[in-house]
Amino acid sequence: MLTKRIIPCLDVKAGRVVKGVKFLDHRDAGDPVEMANRYNTSGADELVFYDITASVEGRGIMQDVVSRVADQIFIPLTVGGGLRTIEDMKQMLESGADKVSVNTAAVENPHLISESADRFGSQCIVLGLDAIRISEDSNRWEVKVKTGRDGGNRTGLDAVEWAIKAAELGAGEVVVNSIDRDGTRGGYDIDLLKQISESVKIPVVASGGAGHPKHMLSAITEGKADAVLAASIFHYSAHSISGTKSFLNDKGVAVRPLIDL
């Protein structure tokens, strides 16, 4: 049985880890290098690093910070934010990233997914998908981009259809982030997760809304996610990686054991 992955996420702005609610009102959470080291030793299965204002500011990712984070960890590292070209991705992989995440640039140029998958392999290419429910009574979601600015720009793209297309183009994984749930700690958008999980054959990572390990359980069992990503509940020590894994294990979810268990 494949184990489910627990993935802390470092949203980095101006060289510091921050966390907001629905992509707004960010507050400081700490130094990315120190936090990466802590997660590496506390049992995280992977780590995600997002430079959340790179696309909005039209600049490249903070390569020096990525390199210092990569030097601290021995778990897979996914890096995203401001990656627009094959060369951008190559630099991140050479800086220590195991996977690269594309979001805004992939919407603007979908062939970037196929080109990068051909160059580096699908296993290296992650689609970052930020979605917002079209209306309260709708079961459809729209993709948004440049999410570092006022909650992002609408695209008119259906989130499920975009995930399907990205998988067909060669993306090896999709991180499904609900803007409606981001930072609320009220739980993931299970309907969104389930629709995408049932529509693609690549791993789906749940993101946006985790407030308790029970939300991760729902994302896995009901939303059919292959992994769960969280930020604030780990950053501010509301829950630990070890405690989360113990909870999921007790509920019958296969997780990777901690070294010191």
Side-chain angles (χ1 to χ4, degrees):
M1 180 184 296
L2 292 177
T3 56
K4 303 301 182 180
R5 293 168 287 150
I6 311 300
I7 308 173
C9 177
L10 305 181
D11 290 329
V12 179
K13 180 179 181 180
R16 298 285 294 179
V17 177
V18 297
K19 192 68 194 87
V21 177
K22 301 182 180 181
F23 293 5
L24 300 171
D25 301 323
H26 296 109
R27 61 179 174 132
D28 188 85
D31 176 78
V33 178
E34 293 176 359
M35 295 179 73
N37 182 59
R38 172 161 60 90
Y39 286 129
N40 180 71
T41 58
S42 65
D45 297 311
E46 297 184 17
L47 186 67
V48 169
F49 177 110
Y50 287 139
D51 186 336
I52 62 171
T53 58
S55 290
V56 174
E57 296 171 359
R59 59 170 174 78
I61 202 167
M62 293 175 286
Q63 188 171 356
D64 61 326
V65 182
V66 171
S67 296
R68 288 190 287 123
V69 166
D71 286 343
Q72 292 294 315
I73 65 176
F74 299 95
I75 55 178
L77 172 65
T78 298
V79 174
L83 303 181
R84 295 181 290 275
T85 67
I86 297 295
E87 183 60 29
D88 291 340
M89 298 178 188
K90 179 174 179 288
Q91 289 178 358
M92 288 304 101
L93 294 170
E94 290 178 344
S95 296
D98 299 279
K99 294 184 278 189
V100 289
S101 177
V102 289
N103 187 331
T104 299
V107 170
E108 295 173 347
N109 174 24
H111 292 295
L112 180 63
I113 297 174
S114 54
E115 291 168 3
S116 58
D118 288 343
R119 176 71 178 273
F120 307 115
S122 290
Q123 78 282 354
C124 287
I125 310 305
V126 179
L127 175 71
L129 192 159
D130 297 324
I132 189 167
R133 194 181 289 264
I134 292 175
S135 64
E136 289 186 4
D137 58 351
S138 172
N139 215 27
R140 293 182 63 241
W141 296 262
E142 182 180 359
V143 176
K144 297 186 79 174
V145 296
K146 296 184 178 178
T147 47
R149 180 180 65 198
D150 298 330
N153 297 344
R154 304 189 86 112
T155 64
L157 284 176
D158 179 88
V160 179
E161 293 176 0
W162 174 228
I164 294 171
K165 181 176 181 179
E168 292 173 345
L169 286 169
E173 184 171 86
V174 54
V175 175
V176 179
N177 188 38
S178 167
I179 296 174
D180 302 296
R181 302 299 184 92
D182 178 75
T184 66
R185 301 195 191 187
Y188 300 97
D189 189 328
I190 302 301
D191 293 337
L192 173 62
L193 283 172
K194 185 176 181 181
Q195 280 201 34
I196 291 181
S197 295
E198 291 178 342
S199 299
V200 300
K201 296 181 180 180
I202 60 176
V204 172
V205 180
S207 176
H212 189 279
K214 67 182 180 182
H215 296 146
M216 298 179 177
L217 177 65
S218 296
I220 293 167
T221 58
E222 300 174 42
K224 302 184 179 181
D226 299 278
V228 286
L229 181 151
S232 56
I233 67 168
F234 294 145
H235 295 347
Y236 303 116
S237 302
H239 295 277
S240 65
I241 301 291
S242 60
T244 297
K245 287 193 170 186
S246 294
F247 175 87
L248 293 174
N249 185 65
D250 290 344
K251 297 297 182 180
V253 174
V255 294
R256 297 175 186 177
L258 296 170
I259 294 175
D260 294 328
L261 284 180

